[in-house]
Amino acid sequence: MLKIKIKNHHFYCLPGKALFWEEENTLMLADVHLGKDSHFRKNGIAIPKVSQNDLLRMRKLLENHQPNTMLILGDLFHSYSREEYEGFRELVEAFPDTQFRYVAGNHDALALKKEDCPKNLWFGKEWEQREFRFVHYITEKSSETFTFQGHIHPQVQVKLNRNQWYKFPALVIQEDRATLPAFGRFTGGYKVKLDKKKERAVVFSGEECFEL
């Protein structure tokens, strides 16, 4: 696991496209898009059950790291699917000692009702912890508080040899923000052109992470 430093805090970059915040014993991920595969199947397009695999990946992260908190930075759901909703609810209830902080995103079509939520699940528009802010998408041009966001699904191109370039999910870090890669495997991505004077990136290749 690659360990990086942001504002004097330490974060492990996990190959599964998530972060582990050491000082706070907190897992962080964004853009799972549960139910996107179901949406395509309902419209006659044969897509494997990717969402169930993503829920299993989330469970393995929780089992391996036993965090105090899991932060989900938006677009947990892509469209309404009762199967995926129940799968997520079961996941939350299976880890009663973990506090889940779910920041709603633009694709979160499922409006959770507070009375329907497990006791260890909070949801809202943004979350603050220590000196950081956590949102799905930053709307302002600059932020006084260092902010973690999702939404963009950043990817960067990496030249592996003389003639071959590959595109990988990436964590992009700027002066006032960090943009997480999409955790879900059926999400697509947006190619980011890095300004290496102002930005740095961690690449998630599937089996390892490395900083550009």
Side-chain angles (χ1 to χ4, degrees):
M1 294 183 293
L2 176 67
K3 188 176 184 179
I4 61 172
K5 190 175 182 180
I6 299 176
K7 300 293 182 182
N8 293 318
H9 287 256
H10 301 89
F11 299 85
Y12 287 96
C13 299
L14 309 178
K17 297 185 293 184
L19 298 182
F20 182 77
W21 182 3
E22 184 177 48
E23 285 80 3
E24 295 290 288
N25 191 28
T26 293
L27 275 171
M28 189 189 322
L29 53 86
D31 297 286
V32 187
H33 286 268
L34 296 173
K36 187 175 181 179
D37 50 347
S38 301
H39 175 75
F40 274 74
R41 287 196 300 274
K42 286 177 183 177
N43 288 277
I45 302 172
I47 297 293
K49 288 192 173 185
V50 181
S51 292
Q52 295 303 313
N53 180 261
D54 287 337
L55 282 168
L56 180 60
R57 292 168 56 223
M58 291 172 70
R59 179 179 289 271
K60 286 182 177 178
L61 283 174
L62 288 160
E63 290 173 346
N64 290 339
H65 297 280
Q66 297 292 315
N68 293 335
T69 306
M70 173 177 264
L71 292 171
I72 303 169
L73 305 188
D75 284 359
L76 172 62
F77 296 97
H78 182 83
S79 58
Y80 178 77
S81 169
R82 191 70 193 178
E83 181 182 4
E84 274 75 36
Y85 170 63
E86 291 297 339
F88 175 67
R89 183 187 176 91
E90 289 172 6
L91 177 72
V92 173
E93 291 177 339
F95 295 89
D97 295 330
T98 297
Q99 297 299 311
F100 290 80
R101 302 295 182 243
Y102 164 25
V103 178
N106 58 297
H107 268 285
D108 286 310
L110 182 62
L112 295 175
K113 296 179 181 179
K114 289 185 179 180
E115 60 269 23
D116 193 37
C117 286
K119 292 181 179 179
N120 57 328
L121 172 62
W122 171 95
F123 70 96
K125 292 184 177 180
E126 67 175 66
W127 177 257
E128 292 187 1
Q129 191 167 331
R130 299 287 289 268
E131 57 263 51
F132 298 113
R133 181 173 65 131
F134 303 88
V135 301
H136 179 57
Y137 181 59
I138 300 172
T139 56
E140 60 268 27
K141 289 184 178 179
S142 61
S143 175
E144 292 183 3
T145 303
F146 192 94
T147 302
F148 289 84
Q149 67 170 352
H151 184 64
I152 296 172
H153 304 195
Q155 296 183 339
V156 295
Q157 269 194 327
V158 179
K159 191 175 184 179
L160 298 183
N161 55 48
R162 188 168 58 183
N163 298 314
Q164 289 183 310
W165 291 80
Y166 289 88
K167 194 162 58 173
F168 294 105
L171 167 71
V172 178
I173 305 166
Q174 298 165 281
E175 183 179 355
D176 65 344
R177 67 193 66 187
T179 306
L180 273 67
F183 181 82
R185 293 192 173 184
F186 186 39
T187 55
Y190 175 75
K191 188 173 76 173
V192 175
K193 188 174 181 180
L194 289 177
D195 181 347
K196 292 186 177 180
K197 293 181 179 179
K198 299 180 180 178
E199 300 171 319
R200 58 187 174 122
V202 174
V203 171
F204 296 76
S205 69
E207 296 183 355
E208 61 180 341
C209 306
F210 57 91
E211 191 165 5
L212 293 181

